[in-house]
Amino acid sequence: MTEPFGARLRHAMDERGPLCVGIDPHAALLTEWGLADDVSGLERFSRTVVEALSDRVAVFKPQSAFFERFGSRGVAVLEKTVQEARAAGALVLMDAKRGDIGSTMAAYAEAFLRKDSPLFSDALTVSPYLGYGSLSPAVALARESGAGLFVLALTSNPEGGEVQHAVRADGRNVGATMLAHLAAENTGEEPLGSFGAVVGATLGDLSTYDLDINGPLLAPGVGAQGATPADLPRVFGAAIRNVVPNVSRGVLRHGPDAGALRDSAERFADEIRSALPSA
């Protein structure tokens, strides 16, 4: 049987540290790198990031939208990026935030979580805001394929609060409800469950939430959005060892020089290690 994503992630974090680096080739960043905003620039950007960092980061998080905007040729670059990153030993978390119902959700899951798909990734971000149960096809296929999911729970964007902080009839808010669903998915899994939550590193004190879901917590917001590695223990408390801090622009802005990319990633990784409590 395929080793579950949670176990593979735990091993990668223990060996390489928990840093996740985004692959976000948006137009402004391509320009900063001196690249054309076209498929050739997209390919050069993505290959440079993978070649520079694939031997030292635990996770890459390509943002699907920045590839999809170039149509089929952009998706072909995304396929190659995923395959090359995984072949080099890094885990790939596809940031596509898919969310739908029934056969449509099943088709989205097949695109990214079916083992013979050209876009097969180790994990996928998904949106539960058609109801957590709408994710069932993705949950089932992830289990079958040994992949994982990261479910939007408490996101770093300010607009998210109007949905995620809304209070249900039982007195629990929506974000806490998503965390409870994920804890149930991960019950009994060792050393780490495969069903994670997206929880923003910029949100401050989250002590009123139970973040102990026995699964990973993807923490966007470190770097350009203002959070620092030193903020992580205050935000995540006892769940800190399961946090996967995501840095995108904070690392990527140092390209296209491969050495500068590596140096930046190493600085963030060192700061994260320093922020973690002693084992």
Side-chain angles (χ1 to χ4, degrees), residues 33 43-53 255-258 261:
W33 278 37
E43 187 169 18
R44 174 74 179 276
F45 179 98
S46 303
R47 180 179 294 116
T48 299
V49 175
V50 170
E51 290 180 350
L53 301 177
D257 181 80
L261 287 169

Side-chain angles (χ1 to χ4, degrees), residues 151-173:
V151 176
L152 303 180
L154 297 166
T155 58
S156 56
N157 64 306
E159 303 89 346
E162 68 183 47
V163 175
Q164 296 157 23
H165 298 164
V167 178
R168 293 160 30 102
D170 63 4
R172 186 167 58 182
N173 72 20

Side-chain angles (χ1 to χ4, degrees), residues 193-269:
S194 298
F195 298 92
V198 180
V199 178
T202 57
L203 296 179
D205 184 2
L206 293 176
S207 58
T208 59
Y209 289 91
D210 185 0
L211 299 177
D212 184 13
I213 63 170
N214 191 34
L217 302 168
L218 180 69
V222 176
Q225 292 185 45
T228 69
D231 294 325
L232 297 174
R234 177 174 58 88
V235 177
F236 293 97
I240 183 66
R241 289 206 169 274
N242 293 336
V243 171
V244 184
N246 175 69
V247 181
S248 295
R249 281 172 289 173
V251 170
L252 300 177
R253 66 184 178 86
H254 294 282
D257 181 80
L261 287 169
R262 286 192 287 269
D263 288 346
S264 178
E266 286 293 337
R267 282 195 298 272
F268 274 108

